[in-house]
Amino acid sequence: MKTLDRLWTVNEVAAYLGVPVGTLYQWRCRRIGPPGRRIGKHLRYLPEDVRAWVREQA
């Protein structure tokens, strides 16, 4: 059984993608970036969603 990955923060996704944090927020507003979820007041990303989004960009 695979261990579930923890959710990624905005900073972790930005580092993974090599883009500024502000770019992620702009993409989110324009609905063109990887799907994120609000957990309380925090924005978090599922690692598999981010990886799938990257694959779709190719």
Side-chain angles (χ1 to χ4, degrees):
M1 185 171 146
K2 181 182 173 189
T3 303
L4 293 175
D5 290 329
R6 66 178 182 78
L7 298 174
W8 286 355
T9 66
V10 175
N11 289 330
E12 290 170 323
V13 174
Y16 178 79
L17 297 176
V19 299
V21 169
T23 298
L24 281 178
Y25 284 114
Q26 288 175 10
W27 287 349
R28 182 168 168 80
C29 287
R30 295 168 58 194
R31 300 181 186 265
I32 61 172
R37 293 162 174 77
R38 283 274 172 207
I39 307 296
K41 65 178 183 174
H42 303 285
L43 179 59
R44 295 292 185 260
Y45 294 84
L46 287 169
E48 59 267 23
D49 288 350
V50 175
R51 291 182 188 112
W53 180 83
V54 169
R55 283 191 300 274
E56 293 170 3
Q57 303 312 302

